[in-house]
């Protein structure tokens, strides 16, 4: 939600990034989720769930179609930004 001109992500946000086209924001939180947001309206688009520990970072691919999240659970996950689906889990 938009609160005072800011996206309200819930728990502490570790990182946030704009998509290459500037239309979306990707946030990573200590609650083990990443979220995609409409940058203009502040509306939540998807909650990316599946990590078991806090996230450390999140980033868009150069074309904005994919996102990657990294977690203290020793995994990185690759996500389809349009659907919110986890495509791959990278261990290690």
């Amino acid at each position: 939600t938009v609160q005072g001109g800011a996206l309200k992500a819930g728990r502490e946000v570790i990182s946030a990034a704009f998509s290459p086209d500037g239309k979306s924001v990707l946030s990573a939180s200590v609650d083990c989720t990443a979220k995609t947001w409409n940058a203009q309206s502040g509306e939540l688009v998807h909650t990316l769930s599946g990590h078991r520990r806090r996230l450390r970072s999140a980033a868009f691919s150069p074309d904005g179609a994919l996102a990657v999240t990294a977690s203290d659970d020793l995994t990185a996950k690759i996500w389809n930004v349009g659907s919110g689906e986890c495509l791959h889990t990278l261990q290690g």
Side-chain angles (χ1 to χ4, degrees), residues 1-63:
T1 61
V2 176
Q3 186 172 25
L7 300 174
K8 185 170 172 58
R11 304 258 332 237
E12 179 183 352
V13 174
I14 299 299
S15 71
F18 279 101
S19 61
D21 65 7
K23 294 181 179 179
S24 299
V25 172
L26 175 65
S27 64
S29 298
V30 298
D31 69 357
C32 307
T33 68
K35 294 178 175 18
T36 57
W37 307 86
N38 179 303
Q40 185 171 6
S41 70
E43 181 179 337
L44 177 65
V45 178
H46 293 293
T47 298
L48 310 178
S49 300
H51 285 289
R52 294 185 316 266
R53 299 199 55 199
R54 69 187 280 160
L55 271 60
R56 288 293 176 174
S57 65
F60 284 99
S61 62
D63 66 1

Side-chain angles (χ1 to χ4, degrees), residues 80-92:
N80 177 305
V81 173
S83 69
E85 176 186 7
C86 181
L87 303 175
H88 302 288
T89 299
L90 312 173
Q91 300 284 336

